[in-house]
Amino acid sequence: MGDILDVAIVGGGPAGMTAAIYIARTGKSVKIFERIGAGGQAALTDNIENYPGFDEGINGFDLSDKMRKQVERLGGSFEFDSVESFTQDPTSKIYTFKTGVGNEYQAKVLLITTGTTPKKLGVKGEDKFFGRGIGTCAICDGAFYKGKVVAVIGGGNSALEESLYLANLASKVYIVHRRDEFRAEHYVQQQIQEKKNIEFLLDTVVEEFVGDQKINKCIFKNVKDNTIFEKDIDGVFLYVGLDPNTTIIDSKYKDEQGFIKIDADNKINEHGLFAAGDCCVDSRKQVIIACGEGAKTSYTIGDYLNSL
């Protein structure tokens, strides 16, 4: 089992890595448990334009990798494995938790920064073609659609920003949104307007995905007049919301959507259990805000450790 960690962080996105940077600088032992790779959803973003210090923006993977290197340089470490469950000893207050490959660790503090996963639409054909023409990461799969026709479902920042990326690869990009106007920031909407190969399908929802081995057509419905129409589509990217990755947390600590309830100091309870970032109630889903929450939580964690 090894030595008892001061802090174990579950989730290696911006919130978790920022907290680790601050904690490591105090001389405390800290390890991040991340099942895929450093950065979370941020690492899958082509260009982050609103992170201070990068006047031309920065690729999400590059920013995440810089954070990872900073964590390691300051003495923090990573374990690329999932945390499946945890318990706390009522006397010692030490947390014991198990990972996906069966390893067991102990820590005085557990910080949950597990982020979110993109939602699905729940329409006919979606499960059949998910991973075979339907995806949630344009930067991961966009190269497969060079010179082809794609649809992006959603109207927020993520949908429009990824549409800009796809417009440089695909011959045609349809942005499909159920409302008559986008929720994305004005600056992003201005950029979208300049792309000649992007077409808007507003007041529109997906009725069905159609194809053989892969998707080749989408059937849509206009929500105002209920007309049904279809478009030939080679690929679809979904940006219709996010579900929190919080299955390891007891339901008493979560709201109806599964987001973690925390107090003003990012405490889940008074016994060394904390949370920060996109997995929390009322999070704003911005990299800079997640970093700020991680930094703020590190101070509360320090106070808790000093009280033991």
Side-chain angles (χ1 to χ4, degrees):
M1 187 178 297
D3 296 333
I4 297 173
L5 294 163
D6 289 315
V7 183
I9 299 176
V10 187
M17 288 195 287
T18 303
I21 288 167
Y22 276 70
I23 291 165
R25 280 169 52 85
T26 68
K28 304 295 186 183
S29 59
V30 56
K31 184 183 288 288
I32 295 175
F33 293 82
E34 167 57 49
R35 64 186 180 88
I36 299 176
Q41 291 293 320
L44 304 178
T45 303
D46 175 50
N47 190 42
I48 299 174
E49 288 191 316
N50 56 0
Y51 193 90
F54 299 95
D55 58 336
E56 297 294 329
I58 183 169
N59 176 269
F61 178 84
D62 292 341
L63 178 61
S64 300
D65 197 48
K66 288 178 182 292
M67 291 183 185
R68 177 192 62 79
K69 290 175 180 177
Q70 191 172 7
V71 169
E72 294 177 333
R73 181 178 65 80
L74 292 168
S77 61
F78 286 81
E79 188 73 23
F80 290 102
D81 194 1
S82 61
V83 173
E84 300 297 317
S85 63
F86 65 89
T87 58
Q88 186 182 40
D89 184 273
T91 303
S92 68
K93 304 302 182 184
I94 298 297
Y95 285 97
T96 299
F97 53 97
K98 294 182 178 179
T99 69
V101 299
N103 293 327
E104 195 168 277
Y105 294 85
Q106 290 186 315
K108 299 173 186 176
V109 168
L110 206 57
L111 170 59
I112 310 299
T113 60
T114 43
T116 57
T117 298
K119 286 183 178 181
K120 292 184 179 181
L121 292 172
V123 301
K124 187 175 181 181
E126 183 177 35
D127 288 339
K128 177 181 178 181
F129 296 112
F130 199 85
R132 293 190 295 163
I134 301 175
T136 58
C137 177
I139 195 170
C140 305
D141 302 327
F144 295 119
Y145 301 101
K146 189 172 183 179
K148 297 185 178 181
V149 178
V150 299
V152 173
I153 317 298
N157 279 340
S158 293
L160 269 62
E161 286 169 353
E162 299 306 282
S163 295
L164 286 170
Y165 172 74
L166 289 166
N168 294 322
L169 297 169
S171 61
K172 181 84 172 182
V173 178
Y174 292 106
I175 302 180
V176 184
H177 186 40
R178 66 181 300 116
R179 297 180 176 85
D180 60 3
E181 60 183 21
F182 296 118
R183 295 174 286 109
E185 295 170 350
H186 178 69
Y187 177 71
V188 180
Q189 293 193 45
Q190 282 185 313
Q191 290 181 296
I192 282 289
Q193 297 287 348
E194 297 172 2
K195 292 291 185 179
K196 303 301 182 184
N197 61 335
I198 292 180
E199 181 178 334
F200 305 147
L201 300 179
L202 301 178
D203 298 316
T204 299
V205 296
V206 178
E207 287 285 285
E208 183 179 354
F209 296 111
V210 180
D212 296 316
Q213 296 302 311
K214 290 186 176 183
I215 187 172
N216 56 39
K217 186 180 297 184
C218 290
I219 299 176
F220 299 107
K221 182 176 78 171
N222 183 290
V223 297
K224 288 192 173 179
D225 60 21
N226 291 321
T227 56
I228 302 296
F229 63 99
E230 61 183 49
K231 297 284 187 181
D232 291 334
I233 301 286
D234 299 301
V236 175
F237 294 91
L238 307 178
Y239 297 97
V240 292
L242 300 163
D243 287 321
N245 300 321
T246 57
T247 55
I248 65 169
I249 295 293
D250 191 288
S251 60
K252 67 182 179 182
Y253 297 126
K254 299 186 286 190
D255 69 4
E256 293 181 354
Q257 287 74 45
F259 289 92
I260 301 172
K261 295 181 287 186
I262 53 175
D263 68 10
D265 293 318
N266 290 77
K267 296 177 184 175
I268 299 175
N269 62 26
E270 297 295 326
H271 309 295
L273 188 60
F274 299 81
D278 291 2
C279 61
C280 298
V281 171
D282 294 331
S283 62
R284 292 293 182 176
K285 313 297 186 296
Q286 294 291 310
V287 174
I288 189 64
I289 294 175
C291 290
E293 288 295 305
K296 184 183 78 170
T297 308
S298 72
Y299 285 98
T300 311
I301 289 173
D303 292 340
Y304 175 81
L305 289 171
N306 291 335
S307 72
L308 297 178

